[in-house]
Amino acid sequence: MHTIDLSKFSIRTDLLVDDIELQNKDISSLINTTKYNNVVLEELEITDINRNIFNRKNGFYKTISFKDITDKDNYKEVEEVFIKALHKLFNDLDISNTDSVLIIGLGNSKSTPDSLGPKVIDNVLVTNHLFELGEVEEGYRRTASFKPSVTGITGIETKDIIESLVEKVKPNFLIIIDSLASSNISRLNKTIQLTSSGINPGSGIGNNRLELSMETLHIPVISIGVPTVVDATTIVNDTFINLVKKISFDIDNLNNVKMKLVSNNIDYTSHKNNLTTEEKEKLLGIIGSLDEKDFKKLIYEVLEPINYNLVVTPTEIDFLIDKLSMLISSSINKSLHKKFNSTK
Amino acid sequence: MHTIDLSKFSIRTDLLVDDIELQNKDISSLINTTKYNNVVLEELEITDINRNIFNRKNGFYKTISFKDITDKDNYKEVEEVFIKALHKLFNDLDISNTDSVLIIGLGNSKSTPDSLGPKVIDNVLVTNHLFELGEVEEGYRRTASFKPSVTGITGIETKDIIESLVEKVKPNFLIIIDSLASSNISRLNKTIQLTSSGINPGSGIGNNRLELSMETLHIPVISIGVPTVVDATTIVNDTFINLVKKISFDIDNLNNVKMKLVSNNIDYTSHKNNLTTEEKEKLLGIIGSLDEKDFKKLIYEVLEPINYNLVVTPTEIDFLIDKLSMLISSSINKSLHKKFNSTK
Amino acid sequence: MHTIDLSKFSIRTDLLVDDIELQNKDISSLINTTKYNNVVLEELEITDINRNIFNRKNGFYKTISFKDITDKDNYKEVEEVFIKALHKLFNDLDISNTDSVLIIGLGNSKSTPDSLGPKVIDNVLVTNHLFELGEVEEGYRRTASFKPSVTGITGIETKDIIESLVEKVKPNFLIIIDSLASSNISRLNKTIQLTSSGINPGSGIGNNRLELSMETLHIPVISIGVPTVVDATTIVNDTFINLVKKISFDIDNLNNVKMKLVSNNIDYTSHKNNLTTEEKEKLLGIIGSLDEKDFKKLIYEVLEPINYNLVVTPTEIDFLIDKLSMLISSSINKSLHKKFNSTK
Amino acid sequence: MHTIDLSKFSIRTDLLVDDIELQNKDISSLINTTKYNNVVLEELEITDINRNIFNRKNGFYKTISFKDITDKDNYKEVEEVFIKALHKLFNDLDISNTDSVLIIGLGNSKSTPDSLGPKVIDNVLVTNHLFELGEVEEGYRRTASFKPSVTGITGIETKDIIESLVEKVKPNFLIIIDSLASSNISRLNKTIQLTSSGINPGSGIGNNRLELSMETLHIPVISIGVPTVVDATTIVNDTFINLVKKISFDIDNLNNVKMKLVSNNIDYTSHKNNLTTEEKEKLLGIIGSLDEKDFKKLIYEVLEPINYNLVVTPTEIDFLIDKLSMLISSSINKSLHKKFNSTK
């Protein structure tokens, strides 16, 4: 039965970078940022010391931000940075060249925006059975892979499936690929997050019971996530934030003839907001003076009772998932196996 | 090359019912509305006389509105009403039992939200070639079908493909199935529109050059459309309208203890809006006093320059397209062929 | 990597009925045969007593033979007989209405002739997770499902995956669906075998290590198999057998004018072979006097060294797998859940 | 309705090279053969002069023979030779760098062994619509593409669809890709035939009415075919031919100890057949003395009346079609557009 996996659609596995943006704190000094041509890599280790700032689990976080992945040059640069980040994470976690790995693709292969994990698995090089036969030349690592599907289809908790497989296969570490929800439109299909802090398939924060992590599985867990869906509340909130920026920008450029001519195509988002609290309230009323958290709560309360808080994905999602899964699988292959020849 | 068909994503082929809602006019008397258990059928003929009210092309319009199509009982009722509406349209257009038909599925089969048309074609009964062989028993009509794909993939105007096929096959009438954009969240995958007024594949209003209609093809054209995508501007606009309703509802029920207990799950949309213009401006500022058209224009100007005006589709789209295409193809088969035995 | 799962293609999981035909023994008295309109059900229990006759593991064997499954009437009759056989097997194995089940679809979903198992899983009703939530009304059994994929893709032995899942989920019994190889052209996609004797995924006879059975998993195992592939040796052997029958038939009807007129379309296979050994050798030489086992061995030795012993599947396989998987999944649903409403 | 396209399965569009082998004539001098590492290119022009030798239509024939296409090195070499052959054919047909082309993928995308044509179209670069907009930089040719599907699905003759499109789009030449039937096991998925002599979709020799060729469409037609299916008669015939070779080889090596040790893996096919007619008849009887044509006729008469003359495809067909379609589409792109950058 092609039941719709509702549990999956309630994911709120926010990206770390989303949190940071929400907090509006000046924590940029804590993050190691490297800028490439069209790609940015942000690295951070959360420990007991800085943990309360981020309200996240301890671990290494590496976030790659990029533009249109269907552009060839962007694609290549993202792949290079992604391989770099993966190697760094292996270092951070003391994973050696000969450590064996089980690669897990979470998600429902029949639901396009949730099919990233399974699609990556389709193109990952697997050697575990060949090692059993002694048929593997040097330069290749021991790898196995798996698609646990989703609980709505199997009737089994994803964590139970993975836990039992880990006990049987006994890999030295795990790589888990999943689709995430974003709390920011601009990151949709334009961010890859790598982290060692674990993952909660199809569930919200605080549900430890189903977590896939070093704590629950007793081996290092690298999770690779791409935000592919966003809810209506987020879309409205992002629009509201940009509405204020746009008005501020327009006011400041009222007499700027040059700007006026191009203003319809200009990226106003980097403009410093000069609206006073009074101006803001005049323009947007009491609602306009709410802080972001309260505004989001209000919008949620408007949309949820009438089933308007859709979780949505861009219409181009089929093509984006194709590109993203190809990039992630080939990067994983190159990172895991010294001798991997990328030519398909 | 899996190029993204940008032209397709700019579709704004609004539903007639969307227009009617936008106009806020009391035109319900012009529309023939039939309510079934969970399905509503709205019928209207636009002629030279009432044309200026609707700002639409002349023709018959039949709109079926329903709830969750993945529910079995809903599914069955929608199918019954759809078949009824299709038969009425045959009557309206003087289409006889023996008239031959070419069924066209517009859209890109590789892009889930745009694959409704091609998926319907996959399950439509085709007899034209059997008629050529004299192998068809009574009770079956002469039918042919086609998927013209999209211009971004073929390099050819869809209208040119269909025009040349019509010249060759010479059907008595056309049925065209397409995915539409909605200007209302609540109609997404919950409306089927049948019309005889023609369709403009992958294009906006006013581009007559590519229109598929009685005028351009010289045979009756029945188009069947389902809104499967919506843009961010629409989501924000719909939210804003409901925000006002929700606040009005909450104020009116401030002292209603019973309501308070259930208010989070209550559908407040049918509540009569009691906010005065002053209250509205106090709550929502100058922005709040804009009329809908100006508000939408503003939001569009906020989102478009920063590429935030995403055209999106619900995450469940794969399952919804499956159900919708099954329903439409089986209804078409039953409507066209007296003897069609639905059992697959 | 879309590696070709070679281990899978070496399957020789013959059907019991193939063996019986090969042995040419008069064992029909041991088999309980029921003939329906266009479907035949053959039932047999192999025990310690009759085991050496069949050279098979102990267990219940039920074989359903039918004609073209794409014919609607055939389809319905096969479904009815299949449900009957499944209920009988539940009885034979003392499986009660409330026993929980794990349903496993063996095979590679990306390889059409090997995708029967995974496709069945796509349409099987799963309730296990709802039982956990206490959300299941009476009339439904506790069911979970799984696609373990194939070792060439996961790098993990299929038996290991299933064993670890059985330990975790603790079902009362297993249902396993798999594609088989046939040693008879006429059975290709025209036979469903149900048995309680276990199954050996992707391997030949005698490899006990990987067997999925009551002995290795400690719960009843019902396996459902359909032969979807055949090797060139079998095709040649079947042709040879029929060549002898055809010549015998033609000789016996040399002077039968009526027969001559229709002989090209006549099914000669039920004709009793009247060729003497001398006639046979004259017609077919020394090769013609070989017994079937030796002939097959010879053909194998001709084809194997030059890679001509292709394992093949009919070109219609995509459509046949669609129908067969639909039939098996809906029959399983109806057999497991009293209240299952088949209407999709 | 997923009807099985029977017309398609009756294709007998043999390869030219098959004919040549069948004829056993020493015509190697007429063919221009180039041997690469693991690939062979055979070129021939059939004209009024040599036409009666080959019993084929006039035109250029280029046949590429290769081994396992899933091997990376083979894949690359085949691609190089294929591009070379395509360029030569452009030269032969006086096709210039700026001539526009319509690329047609014949076949049923839902039937794996018949999906080569449609799959190639999915990856072909299309520019025709961009030329209309004046948006194409130098180095790109004007290209359009199309999948006409099959008559069993559309109800329309494939030739009619293509003819009407050619009239509308007015390309300078056509490229047509199709799956073929082979009359030789060893060529299955291991041969690409290019020819300028036209193609008959889904039909046998002699049916001129539906032919796609220079004669019927009035522009050059390049057809690219790969044999993906074979019938049981061919499998039996190929086996029989090799049976004789194998026995001859074994007799000649009876006392060759070294050979005996390795004989099971040796390719005996190049061994010169030394069996006398008497030996052959002793071994294989009267049947053994039939010439190939009569033997094939006999086998056909054995198999056809009992529906055993299956048209089959190797079980690996999904993976082979993937590789072949990728190779053909990328080769076409590189051949048509000087500036095409193959990096996906």
Side-chain angles (χ1 to χ4, degrees):
Chain A
M1 196 164 295
H2 291 297
T3 49
I4 297 173
D5 187 26
L6 291 167
S7 65
K8 180 68 198 185
F9 299 137
S10 66
I11 43 168
R12 293 289 176 274
T13 327
D14 298 317
L15 297 169
L16 173 67
V17 284
D18 286 343
D19 287 4
I20 292 171
E21 280 163 15
L22 287 181
Q23 297 185 20
N24 271 330
K25 286 176 194 161
D26 190 5
I27 45 180
S28 58
S29 63
L30 298 172
I31 297 172
N32 190 355
T33 302
T34 320
K35 295 196 179 178
Y36 299 86
N37 282 337
N38 288 296
V39 180
V40 176
L41 172 64
E42 291 168 286
E43 297 173 275
L44 169 69
E45 184 183 359
I46 297 185
T47 61
D48 288 345
I49 293 161
N50 62 8
R51 185 183 187 168
N52 57 337
I53 302 175
F54 297 101
N55 194 26
R56 284 285 181 126
K57 289 191 58 190
N58 287 4
F60 297 93
Y61 292 82
K62 299 184 196 295
T63 309
I64 303 163
S65 308
F66 45 91
K67 305 236 172 87
D68 180 15
I69 195 84
T70 64
D71 174 273
K72 255 179 230 176
D73 296 330
N74 276 349
Y75 182 97
K76 275 186 195 168
E77 200 179 27
V78 175
E79 194 181 35
E80 279 163 30
V81 177
F82 182 68
I83 291 174
K84 230 173 258 180
L86 207 47
H87 275 302
K88 280 184 174 188
L89 203 47
F90 291 167
N91 259 351
D92 292 339
L93 300 171
D94 285 325
I95 290 169
S96 88
N97 274 340
T98 55
D99 281 346
S100 68
V101 60
L102 176 59
I103 309 164
I104 307 272
L106 297 181
N108 182 350
S109 63
K110 307 276 178 190
S111 172
T112 311
D114 196 24
S115 66
L116 180 71
K119 280 241 168 93
V120 167
I121 296 306
D122 285 342
N123 289 292
V124 142
L125 178 68
V126 164
T127 62
N128 187 59
H129 56 312
L130 304 174
F131 267 89
E132 296 289 338
L133 302 169
E135 284 179 357
V136 188
E137 49 175 320
E138 241 179 280
Y140 290 93
R141 184 194 298 263
R142 193 165 188 139
T143 52
S145 77
F146 209 72
K147 309 178 196 176
S149 188
V150 291
T151 304
I153 285 176
T154 61
I156 316 170
E157 288 292 358
T158 302
K159 192 206 157 192
D160 287 348
I161 296 173
I162 293 173
E163 200 173 50
S164 60
L165 265 178
V166 166
E167 282 163 19
K168 204 64 135 185
V169 178
K170 298 192 188 2
N172 295 118
F173 70 108
L174 279 189
I175 293 179
I176 301 180
I177 302 101
D178 198 10
S179 312
L180 309 177
S182 179
S183 59
N184 187 317
I185 296 180
S186 68
R187 296 206 162 272
L188 261 187
N189 302 302
K190 290 180 176 163
T191 295
I192 302 175
Q193 176 176 280
L194 292 95
T195 159
S196 66
S197 67
I199 197 167
N200 246 320
S203 80
I205 295 154
N207 188 347
N208 237 44
R209 195 174 52 89
L210 302 174
E211 191 185 77
L212 302 165
S213 68
M214 175 65 127
E215 284 73 45
T216 60
L217 298 168
H218 314 296
I219 50 174
V221 171
I222 292 177
S223 49
I224 298 172
V226 177
T228 63
V229 298
V230 70
D231 68 1
T233 298
T234 299
I235 291 175
V236 174
N237 182 57
D238 279 13
T239 306
F240 192 79
I241 291 168
N242 287 303
L243 173 63
V244 173
K245 284 188 190 162
K246 176 72 159 98
I247 291 170
S248 162
F249 176 84
D250 284 352
I251 290 171
D252 293 352
N253 287 285
L254 255 182
N255 300 316
N256 184 336
V257 179
K258 190 180 147 204
M259 271 301 168
K260 272 210 129 155
L261 290 170
V262 298
S263 73
N264 279 338
N265 299 308
I266 232 158
D267 182 352
Y268 55 79
T269 51
S270 54
H271 183 74
K272 208 179 159 294
N273 177 10
N274 289 315
L275 288 192
T276 63
T277 312
E278 292 74 38
E279 284 173 321
K280 216 173 147 183
E281 193 163 332
K282 195 175 165 196
L283 275 163
L284 291 155
I286 294 171
I287 304 294
S289 63
L290 293 177
D291 70 14
E292 185 167 341
K293 209 178 139 187
D294 288 340
F295 181 75
K296 275 192 130 171
K297 193 166 169 290
L298 173 64
I299 297 301
Y300 183 84
E301 280 168 7
V302 169
L303 296 175
E304 201 66 15
I306 54 171
N307 294 318
Y308 271 43
N309 193 24
L310 297 179
V311 180
V312 297
T313 191
T315 38
E316 310 88 326
I317 189 66
D318 296 81
F319 312 105
L320 293 168
I321 292 283
D322 273 1
K323 289 286 176 200
L324 285 163
S325 66
M326 209 199 304
L327 186 149
I328 294 174
S329 59
S330 96
S331 300
I332 288 178
N333 287 337
K334 288 174 186 170
S335 304
L336 291 179
H337 310 284
K338 267 190 188 167
K339 278 222 179 159
F340 183 78
N341 181 345
S342 65
T343 330
K344 245 191 138 170
Chain B
M1 195 164 294
H2 292 297
T3 50
I4 296 172
D5 186 28
L6 291 169
S7 66
K8 180 68 196 183
F9 299 139
S10 66
I11 42 167
R12 292 291 174 272
T13 327
D14 297 319
L15 296 169
L16 172 69
V17 286
D18 286 344
D19 286 3
I20 293 171
E21 280 163 14
L22 287 181
Q23 296 184 21
N24 269 329
K25 285 175 195 160
D26 191 4
I27 44 180
S28 57
S29 62
L30 299 172
I31 298 173
N32 191 354
T33 302
T34 320
K35 294 197 177 175
Y36 299 85
N37 282 337
N38 287 297
V39 179
V40 177
L41 172 63
E42 291 167 286
E43 297 173 274
L44 168 69
E45 184 184 359
I46 296 185
T47 60
D48 288 345
I49 293 161
N50 61 10
R51 186 181 188 169
N52 58 336
I53 302 176
F54 297 101
N55 194 27
R56 283 288 180 123
K57 287 191 59 190
N58 287 6
F60 297 93
Y61 292 82
K62 300 186 193 297
T63 309
I64 303 162
S65 307
F66 45 90
K67 307 241 171 83
D68 179 15
I69 196 83
T70 65
D71 174 274
K72 254 180 231 176
D73 296 329
N74 277 349
Y75 182 97
K76 276 185 196 169
E77 203 179 25
V78 176
E79 194 181 34
E80 280 163 29
V81 177
F82 182 70
I83 291 174
K84 230 172 260 179
L86 209 44
H87 276 302
K88 281 183 173 191
L89 204 47
F90 291 167
N91 261 349
D92 293 338
L93 300 170
D94 285 326
I95 290 169
S96 88
N97 274 339
T98 53
D99 280 347
S100 68
V101 59
L102 175 60
I103 310 164
I104 306 272
L106 297 182
N108 182 349
S109 63
K110 307 276 178 192
S111 172
T112 310
D114 195 24
S115 66
L116 179 70
K119 281 242 168 93
V120 167
I121 296 306
D122 286 342
N123 288 292
V124 141
L125 179 68
V126 164
T127 62
N128 188 60
H129 56 313
L130 305 174
F131 267 90
E132 297 288 338
L133 302 169
E135 284 179 357
V136 188
E137 48 174 321
E138 241 179 282
Y140 291 93
R141 184 194 297 263
R142 194 164 186 139
T143 52
S145 77
F146 210 72
K147 310 178 196 176
S149 190
V150 291
T151 304
I153 285 176
T154 60
I156 315 172
E157 287 293 357
T158 301
K159 193 207 156 190
D160 287 347
I161 296 173
I162 293 173
E163 201 173 50
S164 58
L165 266 178
V166 165
E167 283 162 17
K168 203 64 136 186
V169 178
K170 298 193 192 352
N172 294 118
F173 70 107
L174 279 190
I175 295 179
I176 301 181
I177 302 100
D178 198 11
S179 313
L180 309 177
S182 179
S183 58
N184 187 316
I185 296 180
S186 68
R187 297 205 162 273
L188 260 187
N189 303 301
K190 288 179 178 164
T191 294
I192 303 177
Q193 175 176 281
L194 293 94
T195 159
S196 66
S197 67
I199 196 169
N200 247 319
S203 78
I205 295 154
N207 187 347
N208 237 45
R209 195 175 53 89
L210 303 174
E211 192 184 77
L212 302 166
S213 68
M214 175 65 128
E215 284 72 47
T216 60
L217 298 168
H218 314 297
I219 50 173
V221 171
I222 292 177
S223 49
I224 298 172
V226 177
T228 63
V229 299
V230 70
D231 67 0
T233 297
T234 299
I235 291 175
V236 173
N237 182 58
D238 279 11
T239 305
F240 191 79
I241 291 168
N242 287 304
L243 172 63
V244 173
K245 284 188 189 161
K246 175 74 159 99
I247 290 169
S248 163
F249 176 85
D250 283 352
I251 290 170
D252 292 352
N253 287 285
L254 254 184
N255 300 316
N256 185 335
V257 178
K258 192 180 146 205
M259 272 300 167
K260 272 210 127 154
L261 291 171
V262 297
S263 73
N264 279 338
N265 298 309
I266 232 159
D267 182 351
Y268 54 79
T269 51
S270 53
H271 182 74
K272 209 176 157 297
N273 178 8
N274 289 315
L275 288 192
T276 61
T277 313
E278 291 75 38
E279 284 173 323
K280 219 173 146 183
E281 192 162 334
K282 196 177 164 196
L283 275 164
L284 292 156
I286 294 170
I287 303 293
S289 62
L290 293 176
D291 70 14
E292 185 166 341
K293 210 178 139 187
D294 287 340
F295 181 75
K296 274 191 130 171
K297 194 164 169 291
L298 172 64
I299 297 301
Y300 183 84
E301 281 168 6
V302 169
L303 297 175
E304 202 64 18
I306 55 172
N307 294 318
Y308 270 43
N309 193 23
L310 296 179
V311 180
V312 297
T313 191
T315 38
E316 310 87 327
I317 190 66
D318 297 81
F319 312 106
L320 294 168
I321 292 282
D322 273 1
K323 290 286 175 199
L324 286 164
S325 66
M326 210 198 304
L327 187 149
I328 294 173
S329 59
S330 96
S331 300
I332 287 178
N333 287 336
K334 288 173 187 170
S335 305
L336 291 179
H337 309 285
K338 267 189 186 167
K339 277 224 179 154
F340 183 78
N341 180 346
S342 66
T343 330
K344 247 190 138 169
Chain C
M1 195 165 295
H2 290 297
T3 50
I4 297 173
D5 187 25
L6 291 168
S7 65
K8 181 68 198 182
F9 299 137
S10 65
I11 43 168
R12 293 288 175 275
T13 326
D14 297 320
L15 297 169
L16 173 68
V17 286
D18 287 344
D19 286 3
I20 292 172
E21 280 163 16
L22 286 181
Q23 296 184 21
N24 271 330
K25 285 175 196 161
D26 190 5
I27 44 180
S28 57
S29 62
L30 299 171
I31 297 173
N32 191 355
T33 302
T34 319
K35 293 194 181 179
Y36 299 85
N37 281 337
N38 287 297
V39 180
V40 177
L41 172 63
E42 291 168 286
E43 296 174 275
L44 169 69
E45 185 185 357
I46 296 184
T47 61
D48 288 345
I49 293 162
N50 62 8
R51 186 181 186 169
N52 57 337
I53 302 175
F54 298 101
N55 194 26
R56 283 288 180 124
K57 286 191 58 189
N58 288 5
F60 297 93
Y61 291 81
K62 299 185 196 297
T63 309
I64 303 163
S65 308
F66 45 91
K67 306 238 171 84
D68 180 14
I69 196 83
T70 65
D71 174 274
K72 255 179 231 176
D73 297 328
N74 276 349
Y75 182 96
K76 275 186 196 168
E77 201 179 27
V78 175
E79 194 181 35
E80 280 163 30
V81 177
F82 182 69
I83 291 174
K84 231 172 258 178
L86 208 46
H87 275 301
K88 281 185 173 186
L89 203 48
F90 291 167
N91 260 350
D92 293 338
L93 299 172
D94 284 326
I95 290 170
S96 89
N97 275 339
T98 54
D99 281 347
S100 68
V101 59
L102 176 59
I103 309 164
I104 307 270
L106 296 182
N108 182 350
S109 62
K110 305 279 178 191
S111 171
T112 310
D114 196 24
S115 67
L116 180 70
K119 281 241 167 92
V120 167
I121 295 307
D122 286 341
N123 289 292
V124 141
L125 178 68
V126 164
T127 62
N128 187 58
H129 56 311
L130 304 174
F131 268 90
E132 297 288 338
L133 302 169
E135 283 179 358
V136 189
E137 47 174 322
E138 240 180 282
Y140 291 93
R141 184 195 297 265
R142 194 164 188 139
T143 52
S145 78
F146 209 72
K147 308 178 198 178
S149 189
V150 291
T151 304
I153 286 176
T154 60
I156 314 171
E157 288 291 359
T158 301
K159 193 206 158 191
D160 286 349
I161 296 172
I162 292 173
E163 200 172 51
S164 60
L165 265 178
V166 166
E167 283 162 17
K168 204 62 136 188
V169 178
K170 300 194 188 357
N172 294 119
F173 71 107
L174 279 190
I175 294 179
I176 301 180
I177 301 101
D178 198 11
S179 313
L180 308 178
S182 179
S183 58
N184 187 317
I185 296 180
S186 67
R187 297 205 162 274
L188 260 188
N189 302 301
K190 288 180 178 163
T191 295
I192 303 176
Q193 175 175 279
L194 291 95
T195 159
S196 66
S197 67
I199 197 169
N200 247 320
S203 78
I205 295 155
N207 187 348
N208 237 44
R209 196 174 52 89
L210 302 173
E211 190 184 77
L212 302 166
S213 68
M214 175 66 128
E215 284 72 46
T216 60
L217 298 168
H218 314 297
I219 49 173
V221 172
I222 292 176
S223 48
I224 298 172
V226 176
T228 63
V229 298
V230 69
D231 66 0
T233 297
T234 299
I235 291 175
V236 173
N237 182 57
D238 279 11
T239 306
F240 190 80
I241 291 168
N242 286 304
L243 172 63
V244 173
K245 284 188 190 162
K246 175 75 160 97
I247 290 170
S248 161
F249 175 86
D250 283 352
I251 289 171
D252 292 352
N253 288 285
L254 253 183
N255 301 317
N256 185 335
V257 178
K258 190 180 146 206
M259 271 300 169
K260 270 211 133 155
L261 291 171
V262 297
S263 73
N264 279 339
N265 299 308
I266 233 158
D267 181 351
Y268 55 78
T269 51
S270 54
H271 182 74
K272 209 179 158 294
N273 177 9
N274 288 315
L275 289 192
T276 61
T277 313
E278 290 75 35
E279 284 173 322
K280 217 172 147 185
E281 192 162 332
K282 193 172 167 204
L283 276 162
L284 292 154
I286 295 170
I287 303 293
S289 62
L290 293 176
D291 70 13
E292 184 166 342
K293 211 178 138 188
D294 287 340
F295 181 74
K296 274 190 129 172
K297 194 165 169 291
L298 172 64
I299 297 302
Y300 183 84
E301 281 168 7
V302 170
L303 296 174
E304 202 65 16
I306 54 172
N307 294 317
Y308 270 43
N309 193 23
L310 296 180
V311 181
V312 296
T313 191
T315 38
E316 311 86 326
I317 190 66
D318 296 81
F319 311 106
L320 293 169
I321 292 282
D322 273 0
K323 289 287 176 200
L324 286 164
S325 66
M326 209 198 305
L327 187 148
I328 294 174
S329 59
S330 98
S331 300
I332 287 178
N333 287 336
K334 288 173 186 169
S335 305
L336 291 178
H337 310 285
K338 266 190 188 167
K339 278 225 180 155
F340 183 78
N341 181 345
S342 64
T343 329
K344 242 188 143 173
Chain D
M1 195 163 295
H2 292 297
T3 49
I4 296 172
D5 186 27
L6 292 168
S7 66
K8 181 68 197 182
F9 299 138
S10 65
I11 43 167
R12 296 287 176 275
T13 326
D14 297 318
L15 297 168
L16 172 69
V17 285
D18 287 343
D19 287 2
I20 292 172
E21 279 163 16
L22 287 181
Q23 297 185 20
N24 269 330
K25 288 175 193 160
D26 192 5
I27 45 181
S28 58
S29 62
L30 300 171
I31 298 173
N32 190 354
T33 302
T34 321
K35 295 198 177 175
Y36 299 85
N37 282 339
N38 287 296
V39 179
V40 177
L41 172 63
E42 292 167 285
E43 294 173 277
L44 169 69
E45 185 184 359
I46 297 185
T47 61
D48 288 344
I49 294 161
N50 62 8
R51 187 182 186 166
N52 58 338
I53 302 176
F54 296 102
N55 194 25
R56 284 287 179 124
K57 288 191 57 190
N58 287 6
F60 296 93
Y61 291 82
K62 300 186 194 296
T63 308
I64 303 163
S65 307
F66 46 90
K67 305 239 171 84
D68 179 16
I69 195 83
T70 65
D71 174 273
K72 255 179 232 175
D73 295 330
N74 276 350
Y75 181 97
K76 275 185 196 168
E77 201 179 26
V78 175
E79 195 182 32
E80 280 163 29
V81 177
F82 182 68
I83 292 174
K84 231 173 258 177
L86 208 45
H87 275 302
K88 281 183 174 190
L89 203 48
F90 290 166
N91 260 350
D92 293 338
L93 300 171
D94 284 326
I95 290 170
S96 89
N97 273 340
T98 54
D99 280 347
S100 69
V101 60
L102 176 59
I103 309 164
I104 307 271
L106 297 182
N108 183 350
S109 64
K110 306 278 177 190
S111 172
T112 310
D114 195 25
S115 66
L116 180 71
K119 281 242 168 92
V120 168
I121 296 305
D122 286 341
N123 289 293
V124 141
L125 179 68
V126 164
T127 62
N128 188 58
H129 56 312
L130 305 175
F131 268 89
E132 297 287 339
L133 302 169
E135 283 179 357
V136 188
E137 48 174 321
E138 242 180 280
Y140 290 93
R141 183 195 299 262
R142 193 162 188 140
T143 53
S145 76
F146 209 71
K147 310 179 196 174
S149 189
V150 291
T151 304
I153 285 177
T154 60
I156 315 171
E157 289 292 358
T158 302
K159 192 207 159 192
D160 286 348
I161 297 173
I162 293 172
E163 201 172 49
S164 59
L165 266 178
V166 166
E167 283 162 19
K168 204 63 137 186
V169 178
K170 299 193 186 359
N172 295 120
F173 69 108
L174 279 190
I175 294 179
I176 300 180
I177 301 102
D178 197 10
S179 313
L180 309 177
S182 179
S183 58
N184 187 315
I185 297 181
S186 67
R187 297 206 163 271
L188 261 188
N189 302 303
K190 289 180 177 163
T191 296
I192 303 176
Q193 175 176 279
L194 291 95
T195 159
S196 66
S197 67
I199 197 168
N200 246 319
S203 78
I205 295 155
N207 187 347
N208 237 44
R209 194 174 55 88
L210 302 173
E211 192 184 76
L212 302 166
S213 68
M214 175 65 126
E215 284 72 46
T216 61
L217 298 168
H218 314 297
I219 49 173
V221 171
I222 293 177
S223 49
I224 298 172
V226 177
T228 63
V229 298
V230 70
D231 66 1
T233 297
T234 299
I235 292 175
V236 174
N237 182 58
D238 279 13
T239 306
F240 190 79
I241 291 168
N242 286 303
L243 172 63
V244 173
K245 285 189 190 160
K246 175 75 159 96
I247 290 169
S248 163
F249 176 85
D250 283 352
I251 289 170
D252 293 352
N253 288 284
L254 255 183
N255 300 317
N256 184 335
V257 178
K258 189 178 149 208
M259 272 299 169
K260 270 212 131 154
L261 291 172
V262 297
S263 74
N264 279 338
N265 298 310
I266 232 158
D267 182 350
Y268 54 79
T269 51
S270 54
H271 183 74
K272 210 178 157 293
N273 178 9
N274 289 315
L275 288 193
T276 62
T277 313
E278 290 76 36
E279 282 173 323
K280 219 172 147 183
E281 193 164 331
K282 194 175 167 201
L283 276 162
L284 292 156
I286 294 171
I287 304 293
S289 62
L290 294 176
D291 71 13
E292 186 166 341
K293 210 178 139 186
D294 288 339
F295 181 75
K296 274 191 130 171
K297 194 165 169 292
L298 172 64
I299 296 301
Y300 183 84
E301 281 167 7
V302 169
L303 296 174
E304 201 66 15
I306 54 172
N307 295 318
Y308 270 42
N309 193 24
L310 297 179
V311 180
V312 297
T313 190
T315 38
E316 310 86 327
I317 189 67
D318 297 81
F319 312 106
L320 293 168
I321 292 283
D322 273 0
K323 289 286 176 199
L324 286 163
S325 66
M326 210 198 305
L327 186 148
I328 293 173
S329 59
S330 98
S331 300
I332 287 178
N333 287 336
K334 288 173 186 167
S335 305
L336 291 179
H337 309 285
K338 266 191 187 166
K339 276 225 178 154
F340 183 78
N341 181 343
S342 65
T343 329
K344 242 190 141 170

